[in-house]
């Protein structure tokens, strides 16, 4: 058990140890991309991911999840190669398309692999704690990458991209060290389309499960997709590139702590999470209203709050779905997330271009507060489950 968890945590840390990550949005601005072009490039990433999310989950339920995770890293490696060779809009667009493939074949696949491996050992009850710690290791990886990016920023973006290529290659090898987990007989017996129909039918027959997925999609989209714009916020508010990288590292440290401790909030009632959702929106409104370098502290708190929500509700979802379609339903959730993320990117970029980045941040912060109020009015989600 300890050996498996060590490999899981190492994979998540290396998956995030990408030195270009803290500065890629700033790289786009320096390359002359407009806010609209940046929003479009991010939307291509998201659209690619959501188009492939469900097929990727079906594939991961029927074939080796270890090899699916390994292959996904190679697509991201190719994407960074495009950025290195063609540092302009079309090169960045192509790189995001390849990165979107990586995202689609990683999210639900990793979650399903970890849950089934724990269940095979009779330890599925600790899934939320394990994923919280694995997310914490991911943010430790981002922290280390941020420190590395700050140190190497003066050598230019190509050096950061070359280091990122090496990290992707190492990360591709790590999943192959995970132990094999036996497939459910139902997963082995069904062909691709029948398996896909089974997974979708389970969601449609359980409206409360669909409700749970919708809330997770909103939380992940608003708490996660906005992460791609934090470095622009920091840069526009007056921080240097090296300081931007350090800021992202501090944010990652805060998210790591939040993820590691999130399991302690697993017993909270839904209303507490809705209040936390609204508080996070208020923090974003305050940060955008101030729009000074010190306001990034509020963004760190914003990200930490959303990480607690994401971790707890992801655990609730995994406990509610059936073994034979675990990756498929995880990808249905990912599909919903990517729809929400794409809508955010296609709205945020044009709004920032028409008005300003500051206005866009203010608008989305107010929107988060409004959504929290709606959830508080409608009341708690009911328990959701599907049959095996």
């Amino acid at each position: 058990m300890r050996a498996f968890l060590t490999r899981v945590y190492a994979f998540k840390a290396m998956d995030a140890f990408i030195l270009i990550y803290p500065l890629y949005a700033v790289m786009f601005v320096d390359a002359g991309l407009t806010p609209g072009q940046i929003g479009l490039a991010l939307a291509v990433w998201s659209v690619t991911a959501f188009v492939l999310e469900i097929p990727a989950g079906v594939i991961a339920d029927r074939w080796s999840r270890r090899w699916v995770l390994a292959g996904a890293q190679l697509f991201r490696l190719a994407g960074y190669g495009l950025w290195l060779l063609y540092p302009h809009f079309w090169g960045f667009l192509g790189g995001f398309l390849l990165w979107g493939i990586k995202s689609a074949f990683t999210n639900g696949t990793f979650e399903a692999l970890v849950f089934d491996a724990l269940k095979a050992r009779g330890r599925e009850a600790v899934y939320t704690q394990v994923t919280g710690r694995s997310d914490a290791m991911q943010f430790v990886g981002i922290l280390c990458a941020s420190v590395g990016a700050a140190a190497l920023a003066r050598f230019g973006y190509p050096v950061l991209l070359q280091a990122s290529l090496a990290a992707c290659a190492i990360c591709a090898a790590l999943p192959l060290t995970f132990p094999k987990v036996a497939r459910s007989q139902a997963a082995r017996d069904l062909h691709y389309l029948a398996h896909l129909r089974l997974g979708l039918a389970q969601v449609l027959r359980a409206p409360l499960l669909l409700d749970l997925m919708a809330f997770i999609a909103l939380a992940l989209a608003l708490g996660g997709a906005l992460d791609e714009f934090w470095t622009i916020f920091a840069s526009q508010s007056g921080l240097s590139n090296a300081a931007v990288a350090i800021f992202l590292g501090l944010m990652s440290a805060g998210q790591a702590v939040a993820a590691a401790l999130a399991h302690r909030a697993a017993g909270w009632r839904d209303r507490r999470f809705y209040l936390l959702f609204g508080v996070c929106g208020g923090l974003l409104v305050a940060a955008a209203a101030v729009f000074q370098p010190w306001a990034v502290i509020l963004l760190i708190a914003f990200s930490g709050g959303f990480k607690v929500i994401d971790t707890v509700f992801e655990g609730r979802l995994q406990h509610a779905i059936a073994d034979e379609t675990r990756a498929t339903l995880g990808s249905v959730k990912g599909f919903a997330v990517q729809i929400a993320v794409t809508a955010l990117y296609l709205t945020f970029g044009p709004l920032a271009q028409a008005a300003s980045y500051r206005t866009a941040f203010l608008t989305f912060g107010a929107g988060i507060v409004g959504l929290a109020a709606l959830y508080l009015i409608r009341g708690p989600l009911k328990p959701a489950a599907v049959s095996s």
Side-chain angles (χ1 to χ4, degrees):
M1 182 69 176
R2 181 176 297 178
F4 166 66
L5 292 180
T6 298
R7 293 168 189 172
V8 165
Y9 299 151
F11 172 75
K12 291 292 280 187
M14 185 54 67
D15 182 54
F17 186 65
I18 305 296
L19 266 65
I20 193 58
Y21 182 75
L23 294 174
Y24 78 82
V26 180
M27 177 178 70
F28 295 163
V29 174
D30 289 347
L33 271 64
T34 66
Q37 287 177 318
I38 293 174
L40 178 59
L42 288 166
V44 166
W45 176 20
S46 181
V47 167
T48 302
F50 89 69
V51 166
L52 294 177
E53 277 281 359
I54 296 177
V58 176
I59 289 170
D61 271 332
R62 292 179 51 79
W63 290 289
S64 170
R65 291 170 184 165
R66 300 183 308 152
W67 282 99
V68 170
L69 289 174
Q73 293 293 331
L74 298 181
F75 279 103
R76 183 170 62 167
L77 185 153
Y80 290 155
L82 270 181
W83 287 5
L84 183 62
L85 296 173
Y86 304 102
H88 51 67
F89 174 70
W90 292 108
F92 295 144
L93 199 70
F96 265 134
L97 188 148
L98 292 168
W99 195 349
I101 295 173
K102 180 267 179 186
S103 298
F105 280 89
T106 299
N107 298 334
T109 304
F110 175 80
E111 294 157 1
L113 185 152
V114 172
F115 191 92
D116 281 349
L118 291 172
K119 189 169 185 178
R121 294 163 172 79
R123 301 292 303 278
E124 66 269 26
V126 300
Y127 174 81
T128 299
Q129 182 176 353
V130 170
T131 53
R133 288 176 177 174
S134 67
D135 283 349
M137 289 305 300
Q138 182 177 35
F139 293 120
V140 168
I142 296 174
L143 172 60
C144 294
S146 299
V147 172
L152 297 177
R154 65 182 184 277
F155 296 111
Y157 299 120
V159 171
L160 300 179
L161 283 166
Q162 290 166 14
S164 300
L165 291 173
C168 288
I170 295 170
C171 199
L174 286 174
L176 303 181
T177 68
F178 293 170
K180 294 181 180 180
V181 178
R183 283 285 176 275
S184 163
Q185 185 62 43
R188 294 195 298 268
D189 289 346
L190 294 173
H191 60 75
Y192 177 90
L193 292 178
H195 194 100
L196 178 57
R197 285 196 299 269
L198 174 63
L200 293 176
Q202 287 178 343
V203 175
L204 295 176
R205 285 199 307 265
L208 298 176
L209 177 59
L210 191 62
D211 201 11
L212 180 61
M213 285 189 174
F215 181 71
I216 293 173
L218 282 173
L220 284 172
L222 293 168
L226 283 173
D227 280 357
E228 312 308 324
F229 295 100
W230 294 151
T231 53
I232 294 177
F233 183 109
S235 180
Q236 294 278 314
S237 68
L239 295 180
S240 67
N241 278 6
V244 168
I246 294 299
F247 150 67
L248 192 64
L250 292 173
M251 175 173 281
S252 299
Q255 289 175 309
V257 172
L261 299 178
H263 67 280
R264 298 186 179 183
W268 283 7
R269 294 184 181 275
D270 290 345
R271 187 169 294 275
R272 280 197 181 186
F273 289 105
Y274 301 156
L275 286 171
L276 179 57
F277 196 97
V279 168
C280 289
L283 289 170
L284 179 54
V285 169
V290 173
F291 214 62
Q292 296 293 321
W294 67 264
V296 298
I297 297 171
L298 301 178
L299 301 183
I300 293 173
F302 172 99
S303 295
F306 265 106
K307 179 48 59 179
V308 171
I309 296 171
D310 297 343
T311 303
V312 171
F313 277 84
E314 172 57 34
R316 292 183 182 181
L317 178 64
Q318 289 296 328
H319 283 285
I321 58 183
D323 293 343
E324 67 270 15
T325 54
R326 187 169 305 284
T328 301
L329 292 184
S331 290
V332 170
K333 179 262 296 181
F335 183 83
V337 170
Q338 292 302 335
I339 290 175
V341 167
T342 301
L344 185 150
Y345 289 151
L346 291 178
T347 304
F348 190 97
L351 179 59
Q353 186 160 336
S356 66
Y357 279 112
R358 184 182 186 182
T359 300
F361 286 121
L362 276 168
T363 301
F364 275 86
I368 292 170
V369 173
L371 282 170
L374 288 176
Y375 269 102
L376 283 167
I377 292 169
R378 61 154 283 178
L381 300 174
K382 301 291 194 304
V386 296
S387 58
S388 299

